[in-house]
Amino acid sequence: MKLRVITILLLVLLISILINSPVFSESSEIELPAEMEKMFFKNKITVGIYSGERPPFFMENEEGELYGLDIELARGIADELGLALEINREADSYQELFEMLVNEEFDMVISKFSRTFSRSKAINYSIPYASFRWSLMLNSSYAAQKGITEYPMHYLKEVSDIKVGVMAGTSWENFAEDLFGKGEIVGYDDWQHVLDALRRKEIIAALYDENEVIKSIYKDPDIALFSTVYILEDKKDDIALAVPASSSHFLSWLNFYLENYDISYTVNELRNKFPEVYK
Amino acid sequence: MKNRLSFLLSPWSVLTGMLVGIIIGLNFTGLVPYIEPVGKIYLSVLKMCVIPILASAVVTSIGKLVNSQHKSSYIRKLILVFVILLFAISTISVIIGVGSQIFYDIDIETQKTIGEIAIDSNKGAVEGTVVPGTVIREINSQINQSDDSGQYRLIDFIINIVPENIFKALAEDENLQVIFFFLIFGIMMKFISSEATATIMTFFDGVFMAFQSLIKIIMYLLPFGLAALVAAQFSQIGFPVLISLVQFILIIYFAAALIFIIITIIIWQKSNKGYFEQLKAVGETLLISLGTRNSFAAIPSSITALSEELDFDSDTVNLSVPLGVSLCRFGNVMVFSLGAVFASQLYGYSLGIEEYMIIVIVSVLAGMATSGAPGIIARTMIGMVLTPLGIPAAAIIALLLAIDPVIDPITTVINIYPNLGAAAIIARKESSLG
């Protein structure tokens, strides 16, 4: 009887020593912030990417494998954290992508995601890892007929009977409205449709980012015949990582990561890194 | 003048020199760095003689003219001949441009090539120079920060004719300003004493003869000089991009050939020499302009050919050739007319007779305006022709700049050769200036 009591006491002692020993207590003693805890518990990081392609950010190669700047970035972050990478491409629009992030269905979004004030109300953005200036394409026949030879902005801001084409359902609709208060903003589902409309003079100008404009002009150089590209040096579209509003600690970790590896791309740097996209 | 070396003066020797230059430039590019300095020195010597000859030729001929009886009819004739020639060449070019449209269409490949050239023209821009023919521009969305310095208007041309400092004009090769200064100087011969006039005339006659003699001496070296110049040019030309533009280039060459034939017939008719004899006389001038691509460098040899070998009245030649070469850029007029018609086809504009009239007239004005402008800016002046038609100019300017190495020799020939025709027409009828 006495022996049993001693044995139990010894066992209790042993267990309490084991539990309190440094070997077993590390993870419980330093408590990770909730969002980090969640990722380490799953042992993976879930990154949301829009279901379409946005070369050179994410696109498929000939074997159908996803690659691009955003994929490299996601992989680099997962490796740095020592976690597995899971890519979720269920979002069929940027609005859906945004809503899924708000609902914390991903840990983060890396999807050529532009920083905007309205999205910032509900989610956290990192510092930009790529930055493009706004680019205005102007039908050059129209410009020549209206006598616009050098600077088009005064004319475009003042007249009301102009149509400006943008990608429907993107922040470019708002950007264009801010820039051309009086003109009519026309949304298209596809950038190629915007270009076709510009060529047919259905719209006289188009607004998009430097990257897409430069990409299409190198792909179809005849665009240079019917349009002039004005890069607006004071208007920037910042591409950043996004995390849910609650993930403020993960956000600072991501900013540290971007700063540490000096990740900040311009169009020219992307052209050098992914030359095949700009051909 | 006959001596053992006179075979070097034959157009055949000069032509051989150029052919050797082409062969070296295309096949023995390793030699080019060694012979390039020879060409540069030769061109510099030629150019060195241009201003003294130009100035003295203008002063002496105007000085004689203002003190002669026939001056008003002579000046009227001079202006009339140049104006008619300018409009004739512009009209011929437009007709050739329109006529050539029957034979080909501008396909998507050509459009893509021109688009590529337009995009690349941004990269080619030398730092600090404004190339208006760019299709990608950086601007501020709120304020216009560009100073519009790339815009060259017709009024600038007129303002720039008058030099504020003649030594600055001389130093900066502002030939139009130099001509203007010496024209005024020559006219002043009417208002000074006859002894003073005589002194000035003797002085400028001496300058003229001295530099014409120098030119005659260095003509013996022309085959070598041109070989070196041409070798350097051909080693730098890139052909691949031009293949889909070959039609446009051929049209320019065809127009140039037609103008060349017409002018040759005019000179032949007026000179009373045999056809081949007169071609031989002007051959040197033509080869210099082809090889140097510098119409001013061909002035001294034009004057010699006209007044010494074809026996035209030297006072007329001395005035009309420098004046014509400086002011009437026939080659540029031709390129602008053809380029404007090509642009209308490229953009699918259907032009009426009024628009074609605009092309003819504005091409003449724009062509003349190039005489006050440096190289790259000169080509951009096609914008003056396209703007009233509502045709975008950027891509066409880029196109002209891209094909410049190929069309420049032939446009230089057309810049100078009709002036010889003009001198022949004016000189024959006014052979005695009294």
Side-chain angles (χ1 to χ4, degrees):
Chain A
M1 193 64 194
K2 209 177 179 186
L3 188 69
R4 189 181 286 175
V5 172
I6 290 171
T7 314
I8 290 169
L9 278 175
L10 274 175
L11 266 172
V12 170
L13 192 70
L14 188 71
I15 290 168
S16 66
I17 288 171
L18 278 175
I19 287 173
N20 286 312
S21 80
V23 179
F24 281 86
S25 70
E26 195 179 54
S27 57
S28 57
E29 193 179 56
I30 303 169
E31 203 174 308
L32 285 178
E35 72 266 26
M36 304 300 267
E37 188 68 55
K38 189 177 138 200
M39 287 192 291
F40 280 99
F41 180 75
K42 292 184 299 177
N43 204 24
K44 70 179 179 191
I45 177 168
T46 309
V47 173
I49 296 182
Y50 165 62
S51 62
E53 290 185 296
R54 285 282 185 275
F57 290 85
F58 48 96
M59 61 277 186
E60 286 176 5
N61 64 14
E62 283 162 10
E63 286 85 42
E65 293 161 354
L66 205 57
Y67 80 111
L69 182 69
D70 284 351
I71 312 300
E72 278 180 22
L73 206 51
R75 207 161 279 145
I77 289 167
D79 288 350
E80 190 69 52
L81 290 166
L83 294 170
L85 173 66
E86 181 189 69
I87 290 176
N88 180 327
R89 298 192 73 198
E90 285 164 24
D92 287 325
S93 72
Y94 270 77
Q95 183 58 30
E96 201 181 330
L97 190 73
F98 167 69
E99 283 163 11
M100 288 173 80
L101 184 67
V102 172
N103 297 333
E104 304 195 12
E105 288 175 53
F106 327 118
D107 296 312
M108 68 185 301
V109 160
I110 312 184
S111 181
K112 202 206 175 196
F113 210 44
S114 298
R115 281 208 299 203
T116 66
F117 283 117
S118 76
R119 286 181 193 151
S120 272
K121 284 184 251 172
I123 56 171
N124 273 326
Y125 279 107
S126 71
I127 55 170
Y129 63 90
S131 189
F132 303 133
R133 291 163 297 177
W134 296 10
S135 286
L136 172 75
M137 298 179 84
L138 182 63
N139 182 297
S140 44
S141 301
Y142 178 88
Q145 275 154 10
K146 297 288 174 187
I148 307 166
T149 51
E150 284 293 311
Y151 188 74
M153 295 311 291
H154 296 319
Y155 180 88
L156 295 176
K157 283 177 185 173
E158 277 154 24
V159 292
S160 53
D161 62 335
I162 56 162
K163 288 184 181 176
V164 179
V166 290
M167 290 280 281
T170 66
S171 27
W172 292 99
E173 287 183 325
N174 308 329
F175 294 165
E177 259 164 41
D178 292 345
L179 202 56
F180 313 105
K182 292 181 180 169
E184 184 188 337
I185 311 299
V186 189
Y188 292 83
D189 297 337
D190 187 51
W191 176 235
Q192 191 57 45
H193 294 159
V194 179
L195 291 175
D196 293 342
L198 184 66
R199 187 193 290 258
R200 291 193 301 267
K201 254 197 258 183
E202 280 172 22
I203 51 174
I204 62 123
L207 192 67
Y208 210 180
D209 75 46
E210 197 183 355
N211 182 54
E212 295 301 322
V213 169
I214 296 290
K215 215 164 62 189
S216 32
I217 209 167
Y218 277 99
K219 204 188 270 168
D220 293 312
D222 51 312
I223 292 172
L225 286 187
F226 68 84
S227 70
T228 308
V229 176
Y230 292 94
I231 294 170
L232 306 180
E233 54 191 19
D234 56 330
K235 294 283 187 185
K236 270 196 311 184
D237 178 24
D238 286 331
I239 313 295
L241 310 170
V243 294
S246 58
S247 302
S248 56
H249 177 77
F250 186 33
L251 176 72
S252 69
W253 187 94
L254 289 171
N255 283 340
F256 174 40
Y257 180 85
L258 292 175
E259 275 172 359
N260 187 60
Y261 292 106
D262 200 14
I263 300 170
S264 168
Y265 285 91
T266 62
V267 174
N268 278 335
E269 285 159 354
L270 284 175
R271 263 187 76 199
N272 291 335
K273 197 171 162 67
F274 300 99
E276 73 281 4
V277 173
Y278 296 86
K279 268 178 193 155
Chain B
M1 282 297 286
K2 280 278 171 195
N3 58 38
R4 274 187 294 138
L5 289 175
S6 60
F7 75 93
L8 286 172
L9 297 175
S10 142
W12 297 113
S13 307
V14 182
L15 210 55
T16 311
M18 288 178 79
L19 283 177
V20 170
I22 292 173
I23 293 165
I24 293 173
L26 292 179
N27 298 319
F28 304 97
T29 38
L31 286 174
V32 171
Y34 299 103
I35 63 168
E36 201 178 359
V38 178
K40 282 188 176 159
I41 292 170
Y42 193 82
L43 186 58
S44 298
V45 176
L46 266 182
K47 281 172 153 176
M48 175 184 92
C49 301
V50 168
I51 284 185
I53 287 175
L54 197 122
S56 54
V58 169
V59 171
T60 51
S61 55
I62 280 281
K64 282 180 197 159
L65 180 70
V66 290
N67 289 313
S68 81
Q69 304 302 314
H70 312 281
K71 55 179 176 287
S72 60
S73 71
Y74 173 79
I75 289 168
R76 223 178 293 134
K77 187 152 291 166
L78 188 83
I79 293 170
L80 197 67
V81 167
F82 277 121
V83 168
I84 289 173
L85 264 181
L86 281 167
F87 281 99
I89 283 171
S90 191
T91 310
I92 290 170
S93 304
V94 168
I95 292 170
I96 290 172
V98 175
S100 68
Q101 292 178 356
I102 302 163
F103 299 104
Y104 78 97
D105 280 322
I106 296 173
D107 55 10
I108 184 73
E109 279 313 305
T110 311
Q111 288 183 8
K112 281 191 190 295
T113 307
I114 297 172
E116 270 167 32
I117 288 169
I119 297 164
D120 282 346
S121 69
N122 291 52
K123 282 188 250 156
V126 187
E127 235 173 279
T129 62
V130 183
V131 181
T134 49
V135 293
I136 304 174
R137 307 176 197 185
E138 290 186 11
I139 59 168
N140 187 290
S141 73
Q142 304 296 332
I143 23 170
N144 184 5
Q145 290 170 325
S146 77
D147 53 359
D148 283 351
S149 59
Q151 290 289 87
Y152 193 97
R153 295 162 315 220
L154 211 54
I155 188 73
D156 296 327
F157 164 67
I158 294 161
I159 294 167
N160 286 337
I161 287 180
V162 186
E164 59 180 29
N165 178 338
I166 183 59
F167 295 101
K168 191 161 164 266
L170 288 166
E172 291 174 359
D173 268 346
E174 295 282 359
N175 291 315
L176 209 57
Q177 296 187 350
V178 172
I179 287 259
F180 179 83
F181 176 84
F182 285 103
L183 268 176
I184 301 287
F185 190 45
I187 291 168
M188 290 307 114
M189 296 301 117
K190 189 169 177 58
F191 303 105
I192 60 175
S193 72
S194 54
E195 298 105 75
T197 306
T199 311
I200 290 170
M201 293 299 218
T202 314
F203 171 74
F204 277 106
D205 266 337
V207 170
F208 184 77
M209 286 188 286
F211 282 94
Q212 280 294 57
S213 308
L214 177 56
I215 288 282
K216 277 178 196 158
I217 293 164
I218 66 167
M219 280 304 128
Y220 285 97
L221 298 172
L222 186 62
F224 308 103
L226 283 188
L229 278 172
V230 169
Q233 288 167 10
F234 270 77
S235 65
Q236 285 159 3
I237 296 181
F239 288 105
V241 70
L242 300 172
I243 285 170
S244 56
L245 301 172
V246 83
Q247 290 160 323
F248 182 52
I249 294 168
L250 279 179
I251 295 167
I252 292 174
Y253 269 76
F254 178 75
L258 194 71
I259 292 165
F260 178 86
I261 292 167
I262 293 170
I263 300 297
T264 306
I265 292 171
I266 291 174
I267 301 175
W268 174 46
Q269 287 292 315
K270 295 285 173 188
S271 70
N272 302 329
K273 299 267 180 181
Y275 186 76
F276 289 103
E277 201 182 340
Q278 76 77 30
L279 254 189
K280 189 164 170 270
V282 297
E284 188 181 84
T285 304
L286 296 175
L287 292 172
I288 290 175
S289 49
L290 259 184
T292 63
R293 300 178 183 182
N294 185 316
S295 46
F296 281 91
I299 289 179
S301 100
S302 315
I303 291 177
T304 313
L306 286 168
S307 54
E308 291 183 16
E309 293 178 43
L310 298 174
D311 301 325
F312 285 112
D313 171 67
S314 66
D315 288 331
T316 313
V317 170
N318 286 354
L319 180 63
S320 68
V321 170
L323 210 57
V325 174
S326 322
L327 206 53
C328 305
R329 317 293 285 172
F330 297 101
N332 294 346
V333 172
M334 174 187 79
V335 170
F336 288 168
S337 297
L338 289 169
V341 175
F342 182 80
S344 72
Q345 192 186 3
L346 183 66
Y347 282 101
Y349 284 50
S350 53
L351 304 183
I353 190 78
E354 282 164 39
E355 280 91 356
Y356 287 122
M357 299 274 280
I358 291 176
I359 295 181
V360 168
I361 294 166
V362 186
S363 292
V364 168
L365 295 175
M368 291 177 79
T370 60
S371 53
I376 289 180
I377 301 292
R379 291 277 185 251
T380 66
M381 286 184 183
I382 195 171
M384 286 186 201
V385 188
L386 297 177
T387 306
L389 301 170
I391 299 176
I396 297 295
I397 291 171
L399 167 68
L400 289 184
L401 291 176
I403 64 171
D404 191 58
V406 185
I407 63 168
D408 198 26
I410 198 78
T411 45
T412 311
V413 169
I414 301 302
N415 272 338
I416 187 131
Y417 197 48
N419 290 298
L420 274 65
I425 297 170
I426 303 161
R428 217 17 38 153
K429 306 213 166 134
E430 287 286 328
S431 52
S432 59
L433 275 175

